[in-house]
Amino acid sequence: MAGADIDLRAISAFEVQTTADTAGGGVIGVGKSQATVDMGDATTTATIETKASLTAGRDVIVIALNNHKLSAIARALGGGALAGGQIAYTSAKVDNDVNVVVGKDVVILARGAIAVTADSQTTASTDSYAVAGGAGAGADSNNTFDSTLRGTRIGSSGDHAQRGVTIGGGSELTGTTVDIVAQVSYVDLLAKARAEAYAFFVASAFADAYLDVFSDVFVNVLEGTKRTTITGTRGVDI
């Protein structure tokens, strides 16, 4: 019980960047650069446990927020008098779930507003650039990199990135207003690949820019052995 506000926040913020560069020459010039960022499961969760009771004299605010930035940059530049081969690989991956979980049979009572919010903000990019030259030359920008890794990836087909609010069965939320929001307030994703090859005889250049997003945004209000109730004397917004 609180005479004023109850404020529960789970916030995750990070910025990660990798850079790889190669450059060279000679009779035969070969180079490879690889930059990868893999943050795995980066989960942010605000939880109110089963049968908890929260009473506020003013507002109850529950927020789960992530702000994640990932970047991978690779450059492979060079050539050879006879032959040149350059390879640049990049990968940026994260499964950044952000959730608010209100357990079963929870009671939240506020004389003012109740606000429950799950918010995702993600920036991710990959940029690979390969240039090769010689009598014969080949440049590869993410073209032959592992197809399950290359490029920019948020979530996966088997494990979507979640942005959600779940209200457990039998819970009671009562306030002047009740706002329950799950959202992606900001997303900026980029996958870039460029390959150049210059030769007197044979030149080949291949680039593959790949971007994959699997994301679910949801509000789930569950039913229990008793009815789940959400009451706002001036309005409920879900």
Side-chain angles (χ1 to χ4, degrees), residues 170-197:
S171 292
E172 301 175 19
L173 283 66
T174 305
T176 302
T177 59
V178 180
D179 293 288
I180 302 175
V181 178
Q183 65 179 6
V184 176
S185 64
Y186 184 81
V187 62
D188 186 1
L189 307 176
L190 171 69
K192 183 178 180 181
R194 182 177 177 183
E196 301 176 18

Side-chain angles (χ1 to χ4, degrees), residues 53-72:
S53 180
L54 305 179
T55 303
R58 293 192 304 195
D59 300 335
V60 175
I61 300 170
V62 184
I63 296 175
L65 168 68
N66 64 21
N67 186 325
H68 295 162
K69 299 179 182 179
L70 303 84
S71 176

Side-chain angles (χ1 to χ4, degrees), residues 39-200:
M39 300 306 296
D41 292 323
T43 302
T44 307
T45 307
T47 303
I48 300 176
E49 294 291 350
T50 296
K51 295 185 178 180
S53 180
L54 305 179
T55 303
R58 293 192 304 195
D59 300 335
V60 175
I61 300 170
V62 184
I63 296 175
L65 168 68
N66 64 21
N67 186 325
H68 295 162
K69 299 179 182 179
L70 303 84
S71 176
I73 302 171
R75 298 283 186 269
L77 312 175
L82 296 179
Q86 299 295 326
I87 299 172
Y89 290 160
T90 53
S91 175
K93 299 176 60 180
V94 70
D95 181 5
N96 55 342
D97 296 346
V98 56
N99 289 292
V100 174
V101 179
V102 178
K104 296 179 181 179
D105 300 320
V106 167
V107 177
I108 301 176
L109 176 62
R111 291 186 178 179
I114 297 175
V116 181
T117 304
D119 187 5
S120 175
Q121 303 171 3
T122 305
T123 303
S125 65
T126 54
D127 186 350
S128 56
Y129 182 35
V131 179
D140 178 345
S141 180
N142 261 5
N143 178 249
T144 58
F145 194 20
D146 186 334
S147 61
T148 65
L149 298 177
R150 65 188 174 199
T152 303
R153 297 170 181 264
I154 309 300
S156 65
S157 59
D159 186 8
H160 292 196
Q162 298 182 354
R163 293 82 170 88
V165 176
T166 301
I167 308 298
S171 292
E172 301 175 19
L173 283 66
T174 305
T176 302
T177 59
V178 180
D179 293 288
I180 302 175
V181 178
Q183 65 179 6
V184 176
S185 64
Y186 184 81
V187 62
D188 186 1
L189 307 176
L190 171 69
K192 183 178 180 181
R194 182 177 177 183
E196 301 176 18
Y198 305 95
F200 291 107

